[in-house]
Every structure is written in structure tokens, then in C-alpha cells.
Amino acid sequence: MSMNVAGVSSYHSNTGKWMKQLISGKKINSAADDAAGSAIAQKLKSATTSANVSASNYNSQILKSNVADGAMSGMNSYLSDMTSKSVQASNDTLTGSDKSTIYDHMNVLSKGVSSLSNTTYNEQNVISQDVASSATPSGFDLSSIESATDSLYSAMAANGAASNAASHAANIASISEINQAAALSRIEDADMAAASVGLNTSKTLDQVNNAMLKKQMEDQEEDNKRILGVS
């Protein structure tokens, strides 16, 4: 007796594949699972990482701008007080001693402006030397203080614009990261319900194939016995 067992001998079990998907949650666990899909997935992973780093960089710029804004707000407060003191010192009814006291106070305020102009973030100055110089009054007269204040306002506006631009860029990078990750998920992540059905189906086919192989071996053994005349 002989059997045509081509279907049995060529059977390939998918149980391992479905098992890997259920365990890992991924339908692509190696390039062998889907060469083209694996290549696309690697590109998407790289793009997702790049977008994440870009967003992080922009957020760092925003933090630096926020520190600069805080420092310049403090400088503006000092300059505002210096303006008031300068106007007060111009009062002709004050004695020389009175004015000396005011100028001493203004000197303290000026040092406060200078100190804040050297504010750092991650060991880097957040205010440029040009701005620090122009926003520090060259004297205690009203004209010098107003000039310093105007320079500071310009720097604050520029810093605000840079912060807004960085925030916009960070949002774009974050959206890109989300989109890239979603695309990666669609390509790489397993359909757990389908994988579960596939595993059960594959196990059933394995059982059928094993039964057929067992029957083949039993039939072959019977054929051999008859040929050898063994009962």
C-alpha cells in the first residue's frame, strides 16, 4: 500500500508565527516576517526618534527663553524704580544729602540690572552681551535710564518672538512624532484578535497534519510487514 502524502510533507506550521505575535504584540518581529514592512518600519522608527529629539530641542529653547524673559522682567522692574528715583532726584527742594541717598539707592538698582543681565541657563548666558550693555544705564540721569529701558523692551520683544517660533516648531515636531508613531503602529503592531484566531486555526491544522503523519507511518509499517511476510 502507498499513499500520496505530498500535502502532508509540504505542510508548514504557522503556530510559531502566531505565538510570537501574541507574545510580542508585533506582527513584524524580524525582516523574515515582512521584509518590505520591516524596512518601512525602521525608517518610521528613525523618523519618530528624529521628531522626538527636535521637539525636545525646541522645548529647551523655550525654557531658555522663559528664563531670559524672567531675567529681563526683573531688569525692567529695576529700571522702572530707577526712573522714579531719577525724577525724584530732580526735585530742587531736596538737600544734597537727600539726593545722595537717592543716588545710593539707584546704584543698588543699577547693580541689580547688571546682575540679572548675567543670568544663565545650562551655564549659558540667556541675555547677549550687547543687550546686557545697552540695557544697563550709563548714568543716573533720566535720559540714560530711558535709553536702557527702550533697549530692554526691544530685547524682550525679540525674545518673545523667538519663544513663539520655538513653540510653534515644537508643536509641529510633536505632531509629526505622533503621526509617525501611528503609521509605525499600523505597520508593525499585531491584530491580537486575528493572531488569536490564527493561532487556534494553526493548532488545529497541526493536529490534523500530525494525525495524517501518524496514519502515514502506520500504513507504511503495514506495507513493510506485508512485503516481508510478517503478520
Side-chain angles (χ1 to χ4, degrees):
M1 177 182 178
S2 63
M3 291 181 61
N4 182 357
V5 292
V8 177
S9 61
S10 63
Y11 172 76
H12 175 70
S13 175
N14 287 316
T15 299
K17 181 189 76 172
W18 295 121
M19 189 70 75
K20 283 182 181 179
Q21 288 192 18
L22 288 171
I23 293 175
S24 68
K26 305 291 184 182
K27 64 183 174 183
I28 300 178
N29 290 288
S30 68
D33 295 330
D34 182 349
S38 179
I40 294 173
Q42 291 304 316
K43 291 179 181 178
L44 287 172
K45 286 179 181 178
S46 178
T48 300
T49 300
S50 178
N52 176 270
V53 172
S54 293
S56 178
N57 287 344
Y58 287 124
N59 284 326
S60 292
Q61 291 179 28
I62 294 170
L63 290 175
K64 183 178 180 180
S65 292
N66 288 342
V67 172
D69 184 68
M72 288 189 286
S73 293
M75 293 168 67
N76 183 53
S77 179
Y78 281 131
L79 288 172
S80 178
D81 286 347
M82 290 183 71
T83 299
S84 297
K85 293 298 180 183
S86 180
V87 173
Q88 183 181 4
S90 66
N91 188 339
D92 291 337
T93 64
L94 297 178
T95 65
S97 176
D98 293 333
K99 291 185 178 182
S100 178
T101 299
I102 292 173
Y103 288 138
D104 286 343
H105 190 186
M106 292 179 72
N107 187 51
V108 172
L109 295 172
S110 181
K111 288 180 178 179
V113 172
S114 179
S115 177
L116 286 176
S117 71
N118 291 314
T119 299
T120 62
Y121 173 80
N122 194 29
E123 300 182 355
Q124 296 179 337
N125 288 329
V126 297
I127 299 175
S128 71
Q129 290 300 313
D130 287 343
V131 172
S133 177
S134 62
T136 301
S138 58
F140 293 161
D141 58 288
L142 189 59
S143 177
S144 296
I145 298 171
E146 288 180 341
S147 177
T149 301
D150 289 341
S151 295
L152 183 63
Y153 283 161
S154 295
M156 292 177 74
N159 182 68
S163 180
N164 288 337
S167 179
H168 182 65
N171 288 336
I172 292 176
S174 295
I175 291 172
S176 176
E177 179 185 0
I178 291 171
N179 290 337
Q180 299 285 0
L184 176 62
S185 177
R186 287 193 293 271
I187 292 175
E188 194 176 49
D189 290 355
D191 182 333
M192 302 303 282
S196 181
V197 172
L199 178 61
N200 289 332
T201 301
S202 184
K203 284 182 176 180
T204 299
L205 292 175
D206 287 349
Q207 292 172 357
V208 171
N209 184 68
N210 290 337
M212 292 177 67
L213 286 172
K214 181 179 180 182
K215 183 64 168 62
Q216 174 195 356
M217 293 175 65
E218 290 174 349
D219 290 345
Q220 187 65 52
E221 185 177 356
E222 289 298 321
D223 285 346
N224 292 338
K225 287 181 179 179
R226 279 195 291 271
I227 293 172
L228 296 174
V230 178
S231 58

